[in-house]
Amino acid sequence: KLVLFTGFSCNAYCPFCIDLNKRDVPDKSTLQLVREMVQARDKGVEYLEIIGGEATMRRDFLPLLKAANTLGFKEIILVTNGMMLSYPEFARQTVAAGVRDIVFSIHGHTDALHDALTATPGSFKLLLKGLGNVRACGLKRTFGNCTVTKRNMEFLPDIARKFLELGIRHVEFIFV
């Protein structure tokens, strides 16, 4: 398994993020990321998990997926806040480019809670739209993660119910 960390850029500002203070660190170049993929494939790695920051924000995101397919990765997994997938064409291109699994980061069961935890107004609605878009493109394997903080801890049963309501049955609860 290669966990391909693309960089610290992100379109959310989650105060609990361990990398929030690294936003000024340059992201890895396309060449660096392709080299990491080539090295992993040379070692027989077939499972690629793409993480960030928020990898979908990169201008080279779709070309990176194409490179991963060309290199022969059998499984391509994306961990995302889902906001960029709210654009139907981008969601379609992401699924068409071979992403098999998407892990959506959902930190609250309501707009108010999730948006407060991402410090990004409208992020929950965009995430839900993104989830719907990739499913409309035929993606079946969607998963979730939720960072547990003081602010959402008391709502964990509600958050778990929201995951079930969304048809997400595999969730990782991450404790800060």
Side-chain angles (χ1 to χ4, degrees):
K1 173 181 176 178
L2 170 63
V3 177
L4 188 68
F5 179 75
T6 61
F8 298 104
S9 294
C10 190
N11 51 357
Y13 302 92
C14 309
F16 55 80
C17 180
I18 62 170
D19 295 325
L20 188 61
N21 65 340
K22 297 176 184 149
R23 295 289 173 89
D24 58 341
V25 174
D27 289 340
K28 291 180 182 176
S29 71
T30 305
L31 183 59
Q32 284 176 295
L33 295 170
V34 171
R35 280 185 182 152
E36 288 181 37
M37 287 192 280
V38 168
Q39 289 169 352
R41 283 299 293 133
D42 286 348
K43 294 177 183 174
V45 173
E46 296 180 337
Y47 183 98
L48 174 66
E49 182 176 329
I50 302 172
I51 67 170
E54 180 56 41
T56 61
M57 288 182 51
R58 295 179 61 96
R59 292 182 193 270
D60 62 355
F61 176 71
L62 294 169
L64 286 170
L65 293 179
K66 183 177 180 181
N69 279 299
T70 300
L71 289 168
F73 284 97
K74 292 186 178 167
E75 294 286 332
I76 302 172
I77 292 76
L78 171 65
V79 179
T80 180
N81 63 30
M83 290 192 285
M84 288 294 295
L85 297 169
S86 68
Y87 296 97
E89 181 60 17
F90 185 78
R92 186 196 67 72
Q93 289 176 336
T94 298
V95 173
V99 171
R100 298 243 175 114
D101 301 344
I102 298 180
V103 179
F104 287 88
S105 298
I106 303 175
H107 308 298
H109 63 298
T110 63
D111 294 24
L113 182 58
H114 180 85
D115 290 3
L117 285 166
T118 63
T120 309
S123 61
F124 192 65
K125 282 186 171 71
L126 292 173
L127 180 150
L128 295 179
K129 188 173 181 186
L131 176 62
N133 285 344
V134 297
R135 286 187 173 156
C137 294
L139 187 77
K140 304 270 188 249
R141 294 169 46 160
T142 55
F143 305 95
N145 70 42
C146 174
T147 301
V148 179
T149 69
K150 285 181 182 179
R151 207 162 180 183
N152 68 358
M153 189 167 47
E154 70 181 282
F155 300 106
L156 288 180
D158 298 312
I159 295 168
R161 278 189 283 280
K162 187 64 173 182
F163 277 114
L164 291 174
E165 177 187 308
L166 296 171
I168 297 174
R169 302 282 186 262
H170 180 93
V171 178
E172 178 183 5
F173 287 91
I174 304 163
F175 295 89
V176 177

